[in-house]
Amino acid sequence: MQTLHVDVDTWMHRISPRLKLGMLAVLGIILFLIDSVALLALAVAIGALLYFRTGLPAGEALKRLRPILLSIAVVTLFGLIFNPIHVAIVTTLRLVALVLFAATVTATTSIAAFMDEITALAAPLERLGLLKAADIGLAVGLVVRFVPEILDRYRAIREAHEARGIKIRIATTLAPLIILTLRDADNIAAAIDARGIRRH
């Protein structure tokens, strides 16, 4: 299985996961308070600089970002149609900067560290009887862990379509992707139950 974490040792890998998640939350708020194109462009440049220093080869780094950047391109297109150009540019720069910072945190933080921090952050809610912190940590960890798996499934479906000479459409790729993803989810749920992880 692939993972979004890059297993190398950089100064960003050595920063506490709690500090990185806290900084990401603060940056997210700041980015949505800024309307200056110049400042947002600077944020994008800093985010790109950090992301491309996580230890990933440039090609792999760009490959990971491609799906989300394509989604942002669609948002930009609709923004240009329905909003003034300035608003569309500001929205695009905010999203790109946030994606780059989030991808940097994801690439430099292991899944286990993510789960530990999310569980610790959710602990106060557990003490109030609102939820089980370990379940929240496990859920977030599974989401982060299986993003690359879902992307690999999508690529495999596309390649299978191309090999058979079938025109690639959203409807013909999305349905098998959802079915395979749900099947994986069932298998994971069965494995979790078999190990008694949630019996508390």
Side-chain angles (χ1 to χ4, degrees), residues 70-135:
L70 287 174
S71 301
I72 292 175
V74 173
V75 172
T76 302
L77 180 62
F78 278 98
L80 289 171
I81 293 173
F82 296 107
N83 296 303
I85 292 177
H86 176 80
V87 174
I89 293 174
V90 165
T91 301
T92 302
L93 290 174
R94 278 177 184 156
L95 292 175
V96 172
L98 193 56
V99 163
L100 288 168
F101 286 125
T104 302
V105 171
T106 306
T108 57
T109 308
S110 69
I111 298 298
F114 255 123
M115 292 173 64
D116 289 345
E117 289 304 326
I118 297 297
T119 301
L121 290 171
L125 298 176
E126 181 172 334
R127 284 194 286 273
L128 294 173
L130 298 177
L131 47 80
K132 292 183 178 177
D135 289 352

Side-chain angles (χ1 to χ4, degrees), residues 44-185:
V44 170
I46 294 171
L49 179 65
L50 292 174
Y51 178 62
F52 285 101
R53 294 184 65 82
T54 57
L56 273 173
E60 176 63 22
L62 289 172
K63 184 179 174 184
R64 286 186 175 194
L65 290 179
R66 190 167 52 192
I68 190 67
L69 291 181
L70 287 174
S71 301
I72 292 175
V74 173
V75 172
T76 302
L77 180 62
F78 278 98
L80 289 171
I81 293 173
F82 296 107
N83 296 303
I85 292 177
H86 176 80
V87 174
I89 293 174
V90 165
T91 301
T92 302
L93 290 174
R94 278 177 184 156
L95 292 175
V96 172
L98 193 56
V99 163
L100 288 168
F101 286 125
T104 302
V105 171
T106 306
T108 57
T109 308
S110 69
I111 298 298
F114 255 123
M115 292 173 64
D116 289 345
E117 289 304 326
I118 297 297
T119 301
L121 290 171
L125 298 176
E126 181 172 334
R127 284 194 286 273
L128 294 173
L130 298 177
L131 47 80
K132 292 183 178 177
D135 289 352
I136 301 299
L138 179 62
V140 173
L142 286 174
V143 169
V144 175
R145 181 68 181 82
F146 282 92
V147 166
E149 294 300 318
I150 293 172
L151 293 176
D152 279 349
R153 293 273 192 198
Y154 177 71
R155 293 190 193 103
I157 292 168
R158 280 181 61 95
E159 289 171 2
H161 277 58
E162 290 171 351
R164 291 171 174 79
I166 302 173
K167 188 175 181 179
I168 298 171
R169 295 192 177 100
I170 291 178
T172 58
T173 55
L174 201 56
L177 180 63
I178 291 173
I179 292 170
L180 290 171
T181 303
L182 291 176
R183 186 181 299 167
D184 285 345

